[in-house]
Amino acid sequence: MNAETTGRKRILTGDRPTGPLHLGHYVGSLQNRVALQKEYETFIIVADVQTLSTNFDHPEHLPVDVRQVTLDNLSAGLDPDIVNIFIQSMVPQIAELTVFFSMFITVNRLRHNPTIKTEAGQYGFEENMTYGFLGYPVSQAADILFCRADLVPVGEDQLPVVEVSRFTARRFNELYGKVFPEPEGLKSETARLVGLDGQAKMSKSLGNCIYLHDSTEEVRKKLMSAVTDPARIHKDDPGHPQICTIFSYHRAFNRGELPDIEERCRKGTIGCVACKTRMLQVIENILEPVRERRIQFDKPGRVDEILKKGTEAACFEGSRTMQLVREAMHTDYFD
Ligand code: TRP
C-alpha cells in the first residue's frame, strides 16, 4: 500500500529511544498520531541512530529502549495493522539520503538552528560537538523524506528541526527536479506539559514525569506531591490557578471542567487535594486503556514482529524514493 494507491497523504513522526514515554509525549505528539492514523498513511520511526547523536557511548541501552518506545506507542493506541513502526538504522536508504542531503545543507544553517542551540546548551556541547549531533536535523530530514511524508506531528521544540526538512525538500527539488513534497510540521494544541515540580517541561532527565506505564498508585503519589500554588496554605485560601501545575494539567486534559475549577480555586472553595484527586480520575481515564493495550501487546515476540513488518514496509518505500533520487541526481548508473 502506498499514497498513490490509497490516495491518502502520509505522516512520518517518531521518537528517540532514550527511555519510557510520558504524558508530555502524549499531549505533544502521541495523541495526534493516534487521532490521524486512519486518515493518513502513517510511518513511525524509532530513531535509534539519532539517540546515538548524544548517547554514542551507550549503545547497549538500545535493544531495550527501542522495544520500550515501540510498546509505548502501541499502548497509546497506534494500530500495527494500519501503521508502520520501524527502526531507523535498519532502513539503509535513510543513511544514503543523509549523505546526499549533507552535500548542500550548510554548516551555518545547522549552527543557527534554535533547537540545536538549545539542546547543545542542555548537553554542554557548545564548545565541542560531534558532526553527527550538529547534523542530526539533516538525518531527520532523511527520516521524513525517505517516504516522501506530507505531515510531521511533533512537539513544539521540534518545529525548527522540521523547518530544516522543509528547506531540504525545497532545495533538492530546485537543484535536481521535483521529488519531494514539502513536509509540514503539526504542533499539538497543548505544545508542552509542565513537570510535576513546576519546571517548564516534563522530562525524564529532570525526574518530573508521569509515565504512560505508571500504575494508579504511582500516578496518585506523584500528583499528591506535585507543586501547586505556594501561597495556598489552608485549603480555603484563594488560589492562583495561572501559576499552578495541577491547573495546567486540567487545561491540557480536562477542558470541560476548566472554568468551574478555575472559579472554585480562585474563591478557595476547592482545595488542592480535591483538585488533585479530580486530576487523578481524569488521568486514569486516559491511562486505563493504555495499560490494557500494553498487556495485549507485551507478549513474547509480538513487538519484534511488528517492528520487522514496519521496517520491511519502510525499506520498500525507501527504495522507491531512492530510485527517484538517483534518477534526479544522475547517479542511476546501471539499469
Ligand atoms: N527528534 C525527535 C525527538 O527528539 C525524534 C525524531 C527523529 C523525529 N526523527 C524524526 C520526529 C522524524 C519527527 C520526524 O523527539
Side-chain angles (χ1 to χ4, degrees):
M1 268 203 319
N2 58 60
E4 288 103 272
T5 53
T6 62
R8 284 181 302 165
K9 291 203 163 192
R10 243 176 223 169
I11 277 180
L12 184 130
T13 187
D15 314 278
R16 293 182 189 190
T18 53
L21 300 183
H22 51 67
L23 285 180
H25 295 110
Y26 185 81
V27 297
S29 174
L30 289 174
Q31 230 175 353
N32 269 339
R33 295 177 196 178
V34 173
L36 297 172
Q37 62 181 332
K38 292 213 171 83
E39 189 183 334
Y40 287 79
E41 188 184 3
T42 299
F43 286 84
I44 301 292
I45 188 165
V46 181
D48 60 339
V49 181
Q50 194 174 109
T51 297
L52 297 173
S53 70
T54 53
N55 296 9
F56 56 85
D57 48 350
H58 286 294
E60 72 279 11
H61 297 160
L62 287 175
V64 168
D65 288 347
V66 162
R67 292 175 173 103
Q68 182 173 49
V69 105
T70 306
L71 192 53
D72 277 337
N73 269 281
L74 294 165
S75 309
L78 285 178
D79 176 353
D81 289 336
I82 57 170
V83 166
N84 306 299
I85 309 181
F86 67 96
I87 303 176
Q88 183 189 23
S89 70
M90 302 208 66
V91 180
Q93 294 85 1
I94 293 179
E96 282 182 65
L97 273 182
T98 304
V99 173
F100 283 132
F101 293 161
S102 70
M103 300 305 148
F104 61 83
I105 302 292
T106 65
V107 171
N108 269 348
R109 176 171 296 274
L110 298 168
R111 278 223 180 98
H112 297 143
N113 187 279
T115 309
I116 288 289
K117 280 198 198 161
T118 311
E119 290 181 0
Q122 283 164 2
Y123 295 113
F125 290 167
E126 291 107 325
E127 294 306 313
N128 195 13
M129 63 180 76
T130 63
Y131 173 56
F133 176 80
L134 179 67
Y136 99 70
V138 181
S139 149
Q140 187 156 322
D143 295 344
I144 293 168
L145 297 176
F146 91 93
C147 67
R148 285 165 286 143
D150 304 283
L151 193 68
V152 188
V154 282
E156 183 180 41
D157 51 342
Q158 280 287 306
L159 286 176
V161 178
V162 176
E163 209 40 54
V164 176
S165 309
R166 291 167 60 76
F167 175 79
T168 304
R170 259 197 325 271
R171 192 77 186 111
F172 184 100
N173 293 343
E174 272 166 24
L175 286 165
Y176 311 117
K178 180 150 175 35
V179 170
F180 297 109
E182 204 175 303
E184 261 183 65
L186 176 70
K187 192 178 88 164
S188 72
E189 267 176 65
T190 305
R192 230 176 350 94
L193 208 59
V194 170
L196 287 159
D197 54 0
Q199 296 216 56
K201 198 176 158 183
M202 240 187 215
S203 144
K204 186 178 61 112
S205 53
L206 298 171
N208 59 6
C209 306
I210 295 175
Y211 292 107
L212 296 184
H213 70 223
D214 278 348
S215 67
T216 308
E217 203 32 43
E218 281 165 325
V219 179
R220 199 188 64 78
K221 267 198 219 142
K222 288 180 177 182
L223 284 175
M224 289 307 158
S225 56
V227 174
T228 56
D229 171 4
R232 281 189 96 180
I233 314 264
H234 307 292
K235 73 176 187 320
D236 46 5
D237 289 344
H240 304 88
Q242 70 280 9
I243 60 157
C244 176
T245 307
I246 299 294
F247 188 75
S248 75
Y249 296 167
H250 282 288
R251 192 178 284 127
F253 300 115
N254 193 19
R255 295 255 162 91
E257 290 182 321
L258 200 66
D260 179 53
I261 288 177
E262 177 164 13
E263 190 188 331
R264 287 161 67 204
C265 174
R266 285 192 197 285
K267 287 188 179 150
T269 57
I270 183 173
C272 290
V273 173
C275 190
K276 286 175 165 183
T277 304
R278 181 68 197 120
M279 190 74 261
L280 175 63
Q281 287 163 351
V282 171
I283 292 181
E284 281 295 292
N285 284 342
I286 296 171
L287 292 187
E288 205 36 58
V290 172
R291 290 185 196 116
E292 274 166 30
R293 280 189 292 262
R294 185 181 302 275
I295 292 169
Q296 198 192 313
F297 286 114
D298 197 4
K299 306 230 163 87
R302 182 80 178 110
V303 169
D304 283 18
E305 180 191 18
I306 290 166
L307 282 170
K308 276 188 197 157
K309 184 175 102 21
T311 303
E312 247 170 57
C315 287
F316 179 75
E317 278 315 312
S319 61
R320 286 164 44 106
T321 299
M322 280 318 291
Q323 239 171 0
L324 300 174
V325 166
R326 285 184 173 274
E327 274 167 34
M329 296 188 74
H330 304 278
T331 53
D332 56 338
Y333 300 106
F334 312 117
D335 292 332

